[in-house]
mmCIF file of all heavy atoms in Angstrom:
data_model
loop_
_atom_site.group_PDB
_atom_site.id
_atom_site.type_symbol
_atom_site.label_atom_id
_atom_site.label_comp_id
_atom_site.label_asym_id
_atom_site.label_seq_id
_atom_site.Cartn_x
_atom_site.Cartn_y
_atom_site.Cartn_z
ATOM 1 N N GLY O 20 250.006 117.831 154.079
ATOM 2 C CA GLY O 20 250.951 116.816 154.492
ATOM 3 C C GLY O 20 250.907 116.663 155.990
ATOM 4 O O GLY O 20 250.256 117.433 156.686
ATOM 5 N N ILE O 21 251.599 115.703 156.460
ATOM 6 C CA ILE O 21 251.599 115.405 157.882
ATOM 7 C C ILE O 21 252.977 115.735 158.433
ATOM 8 O O ILE O 21 253.985 115.268 157.920
ATOM 9 C CB ILE O 21 251.247 113.925 158.116
ATOM 10 C CG1 ILE O 21 249.842 113.644 157.584
ATOM 11 C CG2 ILE O 21 251.352 113.565 159.586
ATOM 12 C CD1 ILE O 21 249.474 112.188 157.547
ATOM 13 N N ASP O 22 253.019 116.541 159.471
ATOM 14 C CA ASP O 22 254.269 116.896 160.131
ATOM 15 C C ASP O 22 254.648 115.743 161.055
ATOM 16 O O ASP O 22 254.015 115.535 162.088
ATOM 17 C CB ASP O 22 254.088 118.193 160.914
ATOM 18 C CG ASP O 22 255.375 118.699 161.531
ATOM 19 O OD1 ASP O 22 256.197 117.870 161.985
ATOM 20 O OD2 ASP O 22 255.550 119.926 161.563
ATOM 21 N N THR O 23 255.678 114.994 160.665
ATOM 22 C CA THR O 23 256.039 113.787 161.422
ATOM 23 C C THR O 23 256.517 114.115 162.834
ATOM 24 O O THR O 23 256.249 113.354 163.763
ATOM 25 C CB THR O 23 257.109 112.962 160.686
ATOM 26 O OG1 THR O 23 258.266 113.762 160.476
ATOM 27 C CG2 THR O 23 256.590 112.451 159.362
ATOM 28 N N LYS O 25 255.620 116.764 164.789
ATOM 29 C CA LYS O 25 254.460 117.111 165.624
ATOM 30 C C LYS O 25 253.630 115.878 165.932
ATOM 31 O O LYS O 25 253.145 115.708 167.051
ATOM 32 C CB LYS O 25 253.598 118.155 164.931
ATOM 33 C CG LYS O 25 254.183 119.548 164.955
ATOM 34 C CD LYS O 25 253.232 120.535 164.303
ATOM 35 C CE LYS O 25 253.816 121.933 164.287
ATOM 36 N NZ LYS O 25 252.901 122.889 163.613
ATOM 37 N N THR O 26 253.454 115.022 164.940
ATOM 38 C CA THR O 26 252.675 113.806 165.152
ATOM 39 C C THR O 26 253.366 112.898 166.161
ATOM 40 O O THR O 26 252.725 112.346 167.052
ATOM 41 C CB THR O 26 252.440 113.061 163.821
ATOM 42 O OG1 THR O 26 251.732 113.931 162.935
ATOM 43 C CG2 THR O 26 251.645 111.785 164.027
ATOM 44 N N GLY O 27 254.681 112.755 166.032
ATOM 45 C CA GLY O 27 255.436 111.947 166.994
ATOM 46 C C GLY O 27 255.319 112.486 168.409
ATOM 47 O O GLY O 27 255.115 111.727 169.361
ATOM 48 N N ARG O 29 252.898 114.294 169.546
ATOM 49 C CA ARG O 29 251.515 114.086 169.962
ATOM 50 C C ARG O 29 251.313 112.650 170.452
ATOM 51 O O ARG O 29 250.703 112.432 171.499
ATOM 52 C CB ARG O 29 250.589 114.390 168.784
ATOM 53 C CG ARG O 29 249.198 114.744 169.151
ATOM 54 C CD ARG O 29 248.395 115.244 167.960
ATOM 55 N NE ARG O 29 248.833 116.570 167.520
ATOM 56 C CZ ARG O 29 249.468 116.816 166.369
ATOM 57 N NH1 ARG O 29 249.723 115.840 165.528
ATOM 58 N NH2 ARG O 29 249.830 118.030 166.051
ATOM 59 N N ILE O 30 251.838 111.685 169.715
ATOM 60 C CA ILE O 30 251.710 110.276 170.124
ATOM 61 C C ILE O 30 252.406 110.047 171.460
ATOM 62 O O ILE O 30 251.857 109.417 172.365
ATOM 63 C CB ILE O 30 252.253 109.323 169.035
ATOM 64 C CG1 ILE O 30 251.377 109.406 167.774
ATOM 65 C CG2 ILE O 30 252.321 107.883 169.552
ATOM 66 C CD1 ILE O 30 251.972 108.713 166.562
ATOM 67 N N LEU O 33 250.367 111.681 174.238
ATOM 68 C CA LEU O 33 249.148 110.914 174.518
ATOM 69 C C LEU O 33 249.473 109.678 175.357
ATOM 70 O O LEU O 33 248.742 109.338 176.284
ATOM 71 C CB LEU O 33 248.462 110.505 173.218
ATOM 72 C CG LEU O 33 247.733 111.616 172.467
ATOM 73 C CD1 LEU O 33 247.386 111.159 171.045
ATOM 74 C CD2 LEU O 33 246.476 112.032 173.215
ATOM 75 N N LEU O 64 256.576 107.433 160.827
ATOM 76 C CA LEU O 64 255.195 107.382 161.304
ATOM 77 C C LEU O 64 254.725 105.940 161.312
ATOM 78 O O LEU O 64 255.164 105.136 160.488
ATOM 79 C CB LEU O 64 254.282 108.195 160.383
ATOM 80 C CG LEU O 64 254.404 109.700 160.458
ATOM 81 C CD1 LEU O 64 253.528 110.349 159.401
ATOM 82 C CD2 LEU O 64 254.025 110.205 161.839
ATOM 83 N N PRO O 65 253.809 105.615 162.212
ATOM 84 C CA PRO O 65 253.220 104.275 162.183
ATOM 85 C C PRO O 65 252.438 104.087 160.890
ATOM 86 O O PRO O 65 251.925 105.052 160.320
ATOM 87 C CB PRO O 65 252.267 104.277 163.379
ATOM 88 C CG PRO O 65 252.531 105.514 164.152
ATOM 89 C CD PRO O 65 253.261 106.447 163.279
ATOM 90 N N LEU O 67 249.125 102.708 158.728
ATOM 91 C CA LEU O 67 247.712 102.951 159.054
ATOM 92 C C LEU O 67 247.128 101.922 160.011
ATOM 93 O O LEU O 67 246.313 102.260 160.865
ATOM 94 C CB LEU O 67 246.882 103.020 157.776
ATOM 95 C CG LEU O 67 247.090 104.289 156.962
ATOM 96 C CD1 LEU O 67 246.352 104.200 155.634
ATOM 97 C CD2 LEU O 67 246.641 105.505 157.730
ATOM 98 N N ILE O 70 248.386 103.004 163.351
ATOM 99 C CA ILE O 70 247.695 104.222 163.780
ATOM 100 C C ILE O 70 246.311 103.867 164.313
ATOM 101 O O ILE O 70 245.884 104.371 165.352
ATOM 102 C CB ILE O 70 247.594 105.237 162.614
ATOM 103 C CG1 ILE O 70 248.966 105.837 162.332
ATOM 104 C CG2 ILE O 70 246.579 106.336 162.936
ATOM 105 C CD1 ILE O 70 249.017 106.703 161.091
ATOM 106 N N TYR O 71 245.629 102.979 163.609
ATOM 107 C CA TYR O 71 244.297 102.542 164.055
ATOM 108 C C TYR O 71 244.384 101.891 165.437
ATOM 109 O O TYR O 71 243.605 102.216 166.343
ATOM 110 C CB TYR O 71 243.694 101.583 163.027
ATOM 111 C CG TYR O 71 242.363 101.025 163.439
ATOM 112 C CD1 TYR O 71 241.228 101.818 163.375
ATOM 113 C CD2 TYR O 71 242.245 99.723 163.894
ATOM 114 C CE1 TYR O 71 239.991 101.318 163.769
ATOM 115 C CE2 TYR O 71 241.018 99.221 164.285
ATOM 116 C CZ TYR O 71 239.896 100.024 164.222
ATOM 117 O OH TYR O 71 238.685 99.523 164.616
ATOM 118 N N VAL O 79 241.585 107.868 171.344
ATOM 119 C CA VAL O 79 241.613 109.145 170.634
ATOM 120 C C VAL O 79 241.336 108.855 169.157
ATOM 121 O O VAL O 79 241.626 107.769 168.676
ATOM 122 C CB VAL O 79 242.983 109.846 170.837
ATOM 123 C CG1 VAL O 79 244.108 109.072 170.214
ATOM 124 C CG2 VAL O 79 242.959 111.266 170.348
ATOM 125 N N SER O 80 240.753 109.815 168.457
ATOM 126 C CA SER O 80 240.494 109.601 167.034
ATOM 127 C C SER O 80 241.808 109.606 166.262
ATOM 128 O O SER O 80 242.805 110.191 166.702
ATOM 129 C CB SER O 80 239.563 110.686 166.486
ATOM 130 O OG SER O 80 240.208 111.937 166.500
ATOM 131 N N MET O 81 241.796 108.964 165.102
ATOM 132 C CA MET O 81 243.009 108.927 164.281
ATOM 133 C C MET O 81 243.406 110.325 163.835
ATOM 134 O O MET O 81 244.580 110.669 163.856
ATOM 135 C CB MET O 81 242.814 108.004 163.074
ATOM 136 C CG MET O 81 242.689 106.553 163.459
ATOM 137 S SD MET O 81 242.682 105.394 162.059
ATOM 138 C CE MET O 81 241.359 105.990 161.046
ATOM 139 N N ASP O 82 242.446 111.149 163.430
ATOM 140 C CA ASP O 82 242.794 112.497 162.960
ATOM 141 C C ASP O 82 243.353 113.351 164.084
ATOM 142 O O ASP O 82 244.291 114.104 163.888
ATOM 143 C CB ASP O 82 241.618 113.182 162.258
ATOM 144 C CG ASP O 82 240.410 113.366 163.130
ATOM 145 O OD1 ASP O 82 240.046 112.403 163.831
ATOM 146 O OD2 ASP O 82 239.824 114.448 163.101
ATOM 147 N N GLU O 83 242.810 113.202 165.306
ATOM 148 C CA GLU O 83 243.352 113.967 166.426
ATOM 149 C C GLU O 83 244.780 113.524 166.743
ATOM 150 O O GLU O 83 245.632 114.343 167.064
ATOM 151 C CB GLU O 83 242.473 113.809 167.659
ATOM 152 C CG GLU O 83 242.906 114.682 168.812
ATOM 153 C CD GLU O 83 241.974 114.586 169.999
ATOM 154 O OE1 GLU O 83 240.767 114.359 169.802
ATOM 155 O OE2 GLU O 83 242.471 114.728 171.128
ATOM 156 N N MET O 84 245.047 112.233 166.630
ATOM 157 C CA MET O 84 246.387 111.735 166.902
ATOM 158 C C MET O 84 247.374 112.224 165.838
ATOM 159 O O MET O 84 248.508 112.557 166.138
ATOM 160 C CB MET O 84 246.390 110.202 166.954
ATOM 161 C CG MET O 84 247.711 109.630 167.379
ATOM 162 S SD MET O 84 247.650 107.861 167.725
ATOM 163 C CE MET O 84 246.898 107.200 166.282
ATOM 164 N N ILE O 85 246.926 112.305 164.591
ATOM 165 C CA ILE O 85 247.824 112.693 163.505
ATOM 166 C C ILE O 85 248.029 114.198 163.428
ATOM 167 O O ILE O 85 249.152 114.670 163.315
ATOM 168 C CB ILE O 85 247.300 112.157 162.155
ATOM 169 C CG1 ILE O 85 247.322 110.634 162.162
ATOM 170 C CG2 ILE O 85 248.139 112.681 160.995
ATOM 171 C CD1 ILE O 85 246.573 110.010 161.001
ATOM 172 N N VAL O 86 246.947 114.972 163.489
ATOM 173 C CA VAL O 86 247.078 116.423 163.308
ATOM 174 C C VAL O 86 246.679 117.232 164.527
ATOM 175 O O VAL O 86 246.831 118.444 164.526
ATOM 176 C CB VAL O 86 246.291 116.932 162.077
ATOM 177 C CG1 VAL O 86 246.841 116.355 160.810
ATOM 178 C CG2 VAL O 86 244.822 116.662 162.210
ATOM 179 N N GLY O 87 246.142 116.624 165.544
ATOM 180 C CA GLY O 87 245.808 117.333 166.768
ATOM 181 C C GLY O 87 244.428 117.950 166.751
ATOM 182 O O GLY O 87 243.616 117.677 165.873
ATOM 183 N N LYS O 88 244.190 118.802 167.723
ATOM 184 C CA LYS O 88 242.882 119.418 167.895
ATOM 185 C C LYS O 88 242.801 120.796 167.256
ATOM 186 O O LYS O 88 241.797 121.465 167.385
ATOM 187 C CB LYS O 88 242.567 119.560 169.384
ATOM 188 C CG LYS O 88 242.355 118.258 170.098
ATOM 189 C CD LYS O 88 241.999 118.518 171.543
ATOM 190 C CE LYS O 88 241.815 117.230 172.299
ATOM 191 N NZ LYS O 88 241.489 117.448 173.701
ATOM 192 N N GLU O 89 243.861 121.238 166.596
ATOM 193 C CA GLU O 89 243.860 122.569 166.021
ATOM 194 C C GLU O 89 242.643 122.734 165.116
ATOM 195 O O GLU O 89 242.432 121.935 164.211
ATOM 196 C CB GLU O 89 245.134 122.834 165.200
ATOM 197 C CG GLU O 89 246.403 122.791 166.009
ATOM 198 C CD GLU O 89 246.985 121.391 166.117
ATOM 199 O OE1 GLU O 89 246.604 120.514 165.314
ATOM 200 O OE2 GLU O 89 247.799 121.172 167.010
ATOM 201 N N PHE O 94 245.109 119.285 157.385
ATOM 202 C CA PHE O 94 244.709 117.986 156.862
ATOM 203 C C PHE O 94 244.105 117.197 158.011
ATOM 204 O O PHE O 94 244.713 117.099 159.066
ATOM 205 C CB PHE O 94 245.962 117.280 156.335
ATOM 206 C CG PHE O 94 245.719 115.911 155.778
ATOM 207 C CD1 PHE O 94 245.349 115.757 154.455
ATOM 208 C CD2 PHE O 94 245.879 114.787 156.553
ATOM 209 C CE1 PHE O 94 245.143 114.492 153.921
ATOM 210 C CE2 PHE O 94 245.672 113.523 156.034
ATOM 211 C CZ PHE O 94 245.304 113.386 154.709
ATOM 212 N N PHE O 95 242.911 116.691 157.854
ATOM 213 C CA PHE O 95 242.410 115.787 158.868
ATOM 214 C C PHE O 95 241.497 114.740 158.259
ATOM 215 O O PHE O 95 240.938 114.936 157.194
ATOM 216 C CB PHE O 95 241.733 116.515 160.035
ATOM 217 C CG PHE O 95 240.389 117.109 159.720
ATOM 218 C CD1 PHE O 95 239.248 116.363 159.852
ATOM 219 C CD2 PHE O 95 240.286 118.418 159.300
ATOM 220 C CE1 PHE O 95 238.006 116.898 159.567
ATOM 221 C CE2 PHE O 95 239.052 118.970 159.022
ATOM 222 C CZ PHE O 95 237.901 118.214 159.159
ATOM 223 N N ILE O 96 241.402 113.640 158.949
ATOM 224 C CA ILE O 96 240.639 112.489 158.474
ATOM 225 C C ILE O 96 239.590 112.173 159.526
ATOM 226 O O ILE O 96 239.888 112.100 160.707
ATOM 227 C CB ILE O 96 241.559 111.264 158.289
ATOM 228 C CG1 ILE O 96 242.662 111.602 157.304
ATOM 229 C CG2 ILE O 96 240.759 110.052 157.855
ATOM 230 C CD1 ILE O 96 243.783 110.608 157.299
ATOM 231 N N LEU O 111 240.504 104.339 154.083
ATOM 232 C CA LEU O 111 241.461 105.372 154.472
ATOM 233 C C LEU O 111 242.741 105.255 153.665
ATOM 234 O O LEU O 111 243.267 106.258 153.181
ATOM 235 C CB LEU O 111 241.764 105.266 155.968
ATOM 236 C CG LEU O 111 242.761 106.257 156.534
ATOM 237 C CD1 LEU O 111 242.283 107.686 156.302
ATOM 238 C CD2 LEU O 111 242.966 106.007 158.005
#
Side-chain angles (χ1 to χ4, degrees):
I21 298 170
D22 185 323
T23 58
K25 285 183 181 178
T26 300
R29 203 171 289 111
I30 294 169
L33 286 166
L64 288 175
L67 287 173
I70 288 172
Y71 177 75
V79 65
S80 67
M81 292 188 305
D82 61 315
E83 186 176 329
M84 186 170 52
I85 295 168
V86 296
K88 292 182 182 179
E89 297 87 17
F94 179 87
F95 73 88
I96 302 166
L111 179 59

